[in-house]
Amino acid sequence: MANSAQARKRARQNIKLNEHNSAIRSAMRTAIKKVRAAVTAGNKETAEQVYRETSSTLDKVANKKIIHKNKASRHKSRLSSLIKAMA
């Protein structure tokens, strides 16, 4: 348990920050699932459109340092490979 006023405030701030980061991380995962669903449905045009949006989302999450930039690049690469394999 936090004993000083400063420690209590940090605890409150950490709770809010955790909720905020969790929401952003959840949106990122949802975006990735949308691309995978479009690939599974077999619609390449839709998959490419959703991929562009997801790519932007991944970059934003990486810039906010919620995930590492290499993780964002890895996700983008794997999703891109899935779309290219649809030919």
Side-chain angles (χ1 to χ4, degrees), residues 6 8 10 13 19 24 27 36-38 41 47 56 59-60 77:
Q6 177 184 7
R8 283 192 294 273
R10 267 325 286 167
Q13 289 175 330
E19 289 173 357
I24 292 174
R36 291 187 183 276
S56 174
D59 287 335
K60 287 177 187 174
S77 175

Side-chain angles (χ1 to χ4, degrees), residues 58-81:
L58 286 166
D59 287 335
K60 287 177 187 174
V61 173
N63 284 337
K64 293 177 183 178
K65 299 190 177 168
I66 294 172
I67 64 169
H68 196 274
K69 62 179 182 163
N70 290 357
K71 180 173 181 170
S73 294
R74 184 172 64 243
H75 279 298
K76 291 193 305 187
S77 175
R78 289 178 181 171
L79 292 173
S80 177
S81 296

